[in-house]
Structures are given as structure tokens and as C-alpha cells.
Amino acid sequence: MAGLRRRNVLAGAVALAGAATIGLNPPAVAAANRQRPGTPYAPSLDFGDYPVVARVRARRALEHLRVLSDHIGTRVAGTEGELRAKDYLARVLRELRYQVTVQPFPIADKFLGSLRVGHDTWQTGSSPQALQDVTREASVIDVGAGDTLPADLTGKIVLIAAVQNNAEAYRLAAERGAVAVLLGRIGADPARKLSAFSPTLTTPVAVPVLGLAQVQVERLRKRLAGGPVRVSASAVHHKNLTSHNVIAERPATFPGRDDGVVMVSAHYDSVPGSPGANDDGSGTVLCLELARVLRHLPTTRAVRFALWGAEEYGLIGSKHYVSQLSDVDARRVRGCFQNDMVATSYDPATVYWLLSVDGADNATTQAVASAAKRLGYDPRVRGPVARGSSDHVPFFERGIAAANFSWRGESSPAALEPTYHTPEDTIADNVSLERLQVSLELIGAAAYSLLRA
């Protein structure tokens, strides 16, 4: 009973302090209480929701996303792009007065390529079984699927791309004098475009072989339709790589016994060739904006933001982080809200999914579902349903309440936008400010409810 009284007193103090933080002036209250787009009714907020809901701004988050996606661009684990992003994230969080720790961990070599076409440079993959650390400049010849090749390809860069490529075409092209080969993948499903890749070759060759995304193939063929095209193709073997997690924490503001920590997380790396605006620049900047909003709010638990490196290569950053937690530290984590792809503008992605590994409710899914009801968003929210494939998995495996939160298609959480993992995952092509705002409000209100529980 004494513990319950103490909790009630703290909750009341949190609410009062939160009110003082934003003043709860009439315009702020009116803005927080407005009916949201796509909701059937006006919100019915808890008092503690106001300091978050009245202050989160998708447009502020977008400023960070422009840095990550437009200026830094592709952020492949361990490479220059990811390292620049790591430095930017750590700087922003330190400026917000969080205790920031940058956690390094080793990762495997990467085989990447680049294709300079006119004034544009496209990142691609490159084959580990082909020549590395070279650049070849020449005119491009398009041989379709590679079923028929000219007898003499001396000094040419050969483009091979179809739904089903000739498996030996790259080797024959090299034998006939090609100085580089561009392998492209064309999806059988017209609604799904394929990403850049590092081709696995059955027979090694002594020329660079790059793996192009489908949209890169389409753009190159469009240029070829207008006349001869000369390109510069480079293959680079990136060795001895290190990726990093960026961890930012602010302790609880109320004295007393340790009541644990609540985590909000996202991954900041991207796949080759993709600027990763939605996947997962959107989740990353959601964390930065919530870090701004929550930094001065009173809590009975510590708040911790975690931005993972190397997610795209097997959840490496989050696995490393969880493996380093002692049993005592793991038990302190009351919940981890993982945010992966939280802002797509793809029209059919109308459902905000609550994705736990086993499909069961836990503290995070319950908190988001409750926030959705208070805000009026519950008709747009579905779940929890079972799905892994993001950084909530290591937490679940350690027995920590965690889930992934994401906008997906109505039929299934596997229904992703066509630009997923492609060069078209940009702010212009694949980010909705309205959906980002919904995500900010839901995760912000849910996380703060656990932080003041």
C-alpha cells in the first residue's frame, strides 16, 4: 500500500511538473486537443500526454532527416556515410545535454561499387569474386539478359539486366574484352523494385562486376536510349570496418529507488545505393525529436535513446548492445520502443502496426495501443502481430519487453512500399510528414507514460 501511495504521489508530481514545462496555455491545450487527420473522434488525453503531444513537431524531425538522407546519403555499415551519421547523431544528442556513449563493434568487410554517369554518382554493390579497388571508364553497351553477346567487347562496359540473366554472361563478357560488367536485377513483380547488391559469381573474373539496383538500370537505359553513354565504374573492398551504436541517456528526475529505464530506438544505417529516408532515417529522427521534447520532462525512470549501427546486415548493433548488458542492467529495461520505417508516403501503407516477435502484448505494445485510444488514432493501429526483422528481436530474446512500430500495408505487415531498400527511398519520394507526426505522438505519449509510471 505504501508503494502504491508513493507511485500515486510521484505520478501527480510528474503531471504538475509537466504542465509547468509547457505552461498548458489555452493555445497549447487547444492544439493538443484538436482532432487528428484520419481519426473519427477528438482525443481524450491524460494530463501527462500534453507536454509531449503539444510539442512534438514532424517538421523539426525533417530538418535532421535532410542531413541524414539528402546530405550524407547512403549509410552502409562501417563506411564513411555511416561514420558521418554517427558523428552527427552524437553531436545533436550531446547538444541536448544527454549523456552520450558511442559503442564500437567490428563488422565484416563490405564490397561496394560506384557508377559515375554524367554529373551523377550512384552507389552500387560489387562482387567479391571480381576485381576490386579499381576504376574503369568506358562506353556502355546494353546486352539485355546476356543471352547473345557481341564477339568483340574490347574496351566496353557491359550492362546485363533482366528478370532472369544468363548465368554465364558476365564471364563471357570479360573473356571478350569488357573492362567492367554491370549486373542489374529486374523484379518479376512490377510493383516491387529490387535493390543494389554484391553479386556472387560462380567463376571469378579479372574485371570489376557491379550489382545495380533496378531503378539504376532503368535510369541508365533511359540515358542509353538518347545515345551513347560513357561511365566510370569503381569497385572497392572496404576492410577492417567498425560500426557504432549511439546511446544517449538522461536519468530519472525524482529521487528514490532505481525504477529502471525506458528505451526508444531506431537504426541509422542504410543498404547500398539507398539514402534510407524512411528505412530508417525516419525512425532515427523520431528519436532525435523525442529526445528534444523529453529532455526536461520529469520522470520516475531514466530515458535512453539508442541508435543502432549495422542493422541491415543482421541486427548486428542491437545484438551487440544487448549481449553487453549484465543481467541486472537487462532487468532495468522496462521496455524498448523500436521505430523502423515510420513515415512512408506510400498510399496503401495506411496501418500503423504493433509488431512483437511472438505476436503477444507487452509493456510497449500496450502503451502504444493505449496512447492510440487517447489520441483517437486507434482505428489506424493494428496488432500486436508476430514479426521480427528489426532491432526489437535481441531484446525479446533477452526477455525484455520490446516491439517494432511501423507503417505498412493494410493486408499484412510484410506489405512494404515499392521503394523499400532502393535509391528511391528519399524524402521527396517516400516520406509523409503527416505519418511521421502520428508516429511521434504515439511513441512520445506511450514512452512518457512508461517513464512516469
Side-chain angles (χ1 to χ4, degrees):
M1 182 64 70
L4 179 61
R5 284 197 300 269
R6 174 183 175 275
R7 188 171 299 277
N8 288 338
V9 168
L10 286 176
V14 166
L16 289 173
T21 301
I22 63 167
L24 284 185
N25 55 63
V29 172
N33 281 322
R34 77 187 190 284
Q35 187 166 338
R36 269 62 175 174
T39 61
Y41 53 83
S44 178
L45 303 180
D46 283 350
F47 203 66
D49 292 330
Y50 285 99
V52 177
V53 172
R55 296 177 67 223
V56 290
R57 296 288 184 271
R59 290 197 177 276
R60 281 182 174 267
L62 185 64
E63 295 173 10
H64 296 299
L65 190 54
R66 293 195 192 284
V67 174
L68 294 176
S69 183
D70 289 353
H71 300 310
I72 295 176
T74 57
R75 304 178 297 281
V76 177
T79 66
E80 180 184 359
E82 196 199 48
L83 295 174
R84 288 175 61 198
K86 175 261 296 181
D87 291 341
Y88 176 78
L89 299 172
R91 182 173 72 252
V92 169
L93 290 163
R94 287 189 177 109
E95 289 172 352
L96 291 172
R97 300 295 186 263
Y98 282 83
Q99 301 167 1
V100 176
T101 302
V102 177
Q103 183 184 53
F105 52 92
I107 55 172
D109 292 1
K110 300 291 180 292
F111 294 86
L112 301 175
S114 66
L115 193 66
R116 193 175 75 246
V117 186
H119 296 295
D120 299 326
T121 299
W122 305 336
Q123 186 185 65
T124 72
S126 70
S127 173
Q129 293 82 34
L131 191 63
Q132 294 292 320
D133 301 319
V134 295
T135 297
R136 297 287 186 260
E137 185 173 345
S139 296
V140 176
I141 180 170
D142 184 356
V143 298
D147 294 325
T148 303
L149 297 181
D152 185 6
L153 292 169
T154 301
K156 299 293 186 181
I157 292 178
V158 176
L159 172 63
I160 304 169
V163 172
Q164 190 69 44
N165 292 336
N166 184 316
E168 292 297 308
Y170 73 89
R171 180 182 59 80
L172 292 173
E175 289 178 357
R176 295 179 184 183
V179 296
V181 176
L182 311 177
L183 287 180
R185 301 191 298 183
I186 307 297
D189 179 359
R192 174 69 56 207
K193 296 187 178 182
L194 301 181
S195 61
F197 66 111
S198 296
T200 300
L201 307 181
T202 55
T203 304
V205 292
V207 299
V209 177
L210 306 188
L212 275 61
Q214 181 171 336
V215 68
Q216 293 169 338
V217 173
E218 293 169 353
R219 290 170 180 171
L220 183 54
R221 284 180 167 165
K222 184 176 180 180
R223 295 192 186 212
L224 286 167
V229 175
R230 190 172 181 86
V231 303
S232 177
S234 300
V236 180
H237 179 189
H238 297 265
K239 307 173 185 177
N240 304 316
L241 298 180
T242 300
S243 184
H244 302 80
N245 295 324
V246 180
I247 313 298
E249 183 162 335
R250 194 220 67 185
T253 59
F254 286 91
R257 66 181 179 84
D258 183 357
D259 207 14
V261 59
V262 174
M263 296 185 64
V264 182
S265 64
H267 75 88
Y268 67 95
D269 65 315
S270 70
V271 298
S274 176
N278 188 45
D279 185 19
D280 184 29
S282 62
T284 300
V285 302
L286 176 146
C287 290
L288 294 182
E289 173 63 359
L290 289 183
R292 180 189 71 83
V293 169
L294 293 175
R295 59 181 170 159
H296 295 313
L297 295 187
T299 65
T300 58
R301 291 171 173 159
V303 57
R304 181 182 302 158
F305 292 93
L307 300 172
W308 314 117
E311 185 269 356
E312 298 289 4
Y313 289 87
L315 317 181
I316 298 173
S318 56
K319 287 179 178 178
H320 176 78
Y321 175 82
V322 172
S323 74
Q324 301 301 302
L325 292 176
S326 68
D327 289 341
V328 171
D329 286 338
R331 285 193 294 270
R332 290 188 67 238
V333 181
R334 306 299 186 182
C336 179
F337 297 85
Q338 168 66 17
N339 302 275
D340 201 342
M341 304 171 64
V342 298
T344 180
S345 58
Y346 179 51
D347 283 345
T350 57
V351 175
Y352 185 83
W353 288 90
L354 316 182
L355 307 171
S356 62
V357 174
D358 58 357
D361 248 333
N362 61 50
T364 62
T365 57
Q366 290 169 358
V368 173
S370 295
K373 289 181 181 178
R374 298 194 303 273
L375 285 159
Y377 288 130
D378 51 315
R380 307 178 71 175
V381 171
R382 189 169 302 174
V385 298
R387 187 169 176 85
S389 303
S390 194
D391 291 301
H392 59 307
V393 174
F395 289 87
F396 169 81
E397 293 173 344
R398 192 70 186 271
I400 298 169
N404 180 35
F405 303 93
S406 182
W407 289 99
R408 310 286 177 98
E410 184 175 2
S411 61
S412 164
L416 303 176
E417 62 265 32
T419 55
Y420 169 70
H421 277 186
T422 76
E424 294 179 306
D425 185 10
T426 63
I427 294 173
D429 292 332
N430 195 30
V431 167
S432 161
L433 276 178
E434 187 266 334
R435 287 178 181 162
L436 180 55
Q437 182 68 28
V438 174
S439 301
L440 280 163
E441 292 180 10
L442 286 173
I443 297 299
Y448 193 44
S449 70
L450 281 191
L451 284 164
R452 55 191 173 84

